[in-house]
Amino acid sequence: MIRIVLLAVVFWASVACAQTVEEAVPPPAAETPTPLEVGAESPRLAVFDIYGERFDSAEQLGKRFIIYNFFTTYCQPCIREFAGFRELARRFGDRLVVVLINTGQDERGVLKLFQRDHHMDAAVMVRDRFGLIRKEFGIGDLVPVTFLVDPEGKIVCVQLGAFPDGNPLDVLKALMETGDE
């Protein structure tokens, strides 16, 4: 009797699962990201960094360039670019702010150690765990991605993927100097 009941339960469960699979709605197709383009106005970014300090891009208007770099801690091309960002911050710190936006699920403590270990103390580091900043910039899950925003709030450079030779220094320096003329 127990075997018959078990067989009936197994049969009923398999029929129910088969119906569920057949009736399931396929997931929507992933949207193709459409990154903001050169000439577009940069979204305003008002966030707290990993130390709880407030950063508001509106406070930089008319004063400084902003580099927004989207990265993950496990992305080697992302990490190779940090030396160039570090050098840009050293050379142009009075005219430039570097904002590193972590798109992974890393906790604040991990990011603090990561920032220290990669000598990126001059940069503002923020978390984008839920993808809200990525959505504003239209980049989806792509990393590394870098935007250079001029002091008027216009995007003057978009780099999807790593910079040539993994070094953003020459490209961004030239763009910043062009903006001075």
Side-chain angles (χ1 to χ4, degrees):
M1 179 68 174
I2 293 177
R3 283 187 184 173
I4 294 173
V5 171
L6 285 175
L7 285 173
V9 169
V10 170
F11 174 75
W12 178 79
S14 65
V15 169
C17 288
Q19 289 174 344
T20 304
V21 170
E22 290 174 3
E23 295 170 2
V25 176
E31 291 184 27
T32 303
T34 307
L36 294 176
E37 296 180 354
V38 170
E41 189 163 326
S42 175
R44 178 179 178 193
L45 185 61
V47 295
F48 288 95
D49 71 8
I50 60 174
Y51 297 96
E53 299 293 321
R54 188 170 186 275
F55 172 80
D56 188 343
S57 61
E59 295 172 1
Q60 306 304 318
L61 288 175
K63 300 175 189 172
R64 301 186 344 175
F65 285 86
I66 302 174
I67 293 175
Y68 293 116
N69 176 256
F70 293 84
F71 78 99
T72 60
T73 56
Y74 52 83
C75 167
Q76 290 306 309
C78 300
I79 294 168
R80 281 193 292 274
E81 292 180 335
F82 284 0
F85 293 130
R86 190 170 43 248
E87 182 62 18
L88 282 164
R90 187 188 69 75
R91 285 190 192 179
F92 301 104
D94 58 329
R95 298 179 32 226
L96 169 75
V97 61
V98 176
V99 180
L100 302 174
I101 303 167
N102 177 266
T103 64
Q105 296 298 311
D106 301 298
E107 297 299 326
R108 282 187 179 92
V110 170
L111 291 175
K112 288 176 183 178
L113 291 173
F114 182 84
Q115 186 175 27
R116 185 197 68 201
D117 291 348
H118 292 283
H119 311 288
M120 293 302 297
D121 300 333
V124 174
M125 188 174 290
V126 299
R127 297 165 63 205
D128 187 26
R129 291 178 63 178
F130 303 109
L132 300 176
I133 302 171
R134 286 180 299 208
K135 187 174 183 178
E136 285 288 318
F137 282 85
I139 64 164
D141 292 327
L142 181 64
V143 290
V145 176
T146 304
F147 293 86
L148 176 63
V149 178
D150 71 12
E152 283 69 49
K154 298 289 183 201
I155 296 172
V156 295
C157 177
V158 178
Q159 178 67 39
L160 302 176
F163 280 90
D165 301 323
N167 190 348
L169 182 62
D170 293 333
V171 173
L172 297 177
K173 182 177 141 199
L175 284 166
M176 288 175 60
E177 289 171 352
T178 301
D180 285 344
E181 297 174 358

